[in-house]
Amino acid sequence: MVEQQLISRGIKNRRVIDAFLKVERHRFIPGGLKISAYADHPVSIGEGQTISQPYIVALMTEYLDVSESDRVLEIGTGSGYQAAILAEMSKQVYSIEKFLSLAKRAEALLQELGYCNIRIKVGDGTLGWQEESPFSRIIITAATPAIPPPLVEQLSEGGKMILPQGERFSQVLTLVEKQNGELKSELICGCVFVPLIGEYGYKG
Ligand code: SAM
């Protein structure tokens, strides 16, 4: 997977590659679908949700440019795989999931795998995690029509946020940097994610 899907498509950051080599993706895929764990596409994880294609997880992580001192907020815990990759590379990961069942499963697995630097909460991630803000990195792993304003507030000065922004069935992966209180955006590529459902996301 790492050689054929990531390195061959241009993923270069050694810390991203090392995290992918270390985190066992099959642990994050439920039951009978484990056979597809390393396949080049998203896989169902229950509740109508998916774990993203490995390359997209790697691309988002590479653009996010995570360092050992970063405090990262993830919106959309899902299986917990992206959180584990981020936890390998950063100081602390905070992750918010809308579905209790997914959050519970991810939390139990991440605990079993020994991650002490990931906190998960159930709720509407479009509101962010005010008490733990600011965050130097934010990643939204579901499609959003616009950047939720609370997440802009909770991003620290000089911080970076990556998100799939656009229409419900077609988005553009976008990197946002906060500089002097202003947002600077870079469009990366087209993508398709499940929707972010919440106050500042899609409505149901
Ligand atoms: N990052 C995940 C992983 O590594 O498995 C995959 C995320 S999946 C593509 C998108 C997730 O966003 C789903 O689990 C979905 O339930 C969640 N979600 C949708 N709307 C949300 C919201 N408002 N707040 C938090 N999570 C939300």
Side-chain angles (χ1 to χ4, degrees), residues 11 30 68 104 107 110 112 127 137 154 165 199 201 204:
I11 299 297
E68 279 163 5
K104 271 187 163 175
E107 192 168 47
L110 291 165
E112 188 187 323
L127 303 174
R137 297 289 183 268
Q154 293 172 30
Q165 187 181 355
E199 187 167 336

Side-chain angles (χ1 to χ4, degrees), residues 49-50 74 76-79 82 96-99 123-125 141 197:
Q49 306 304 318
T50 54
E74 178 192 27
T77 314
S79 67
Q82 173 81 75
I96 308 176
E97 171 54 49
K98 174 175 147 48
F99 287 100
D124 178 4
T141 66
I197 307 287

Side-chain angles (χ1 to χ4, degrees), residues 155 158-161 175-179 182-185:
L155 182 66
K160 295 183 183 181
M161 178 179 344
L175 179 70
V176 174
E177 287 191 59
K178 197 179 201 180
Q179 289 175 358
E182 303 272 306
L183 296 185
K184 197 185 89 184
S185 294

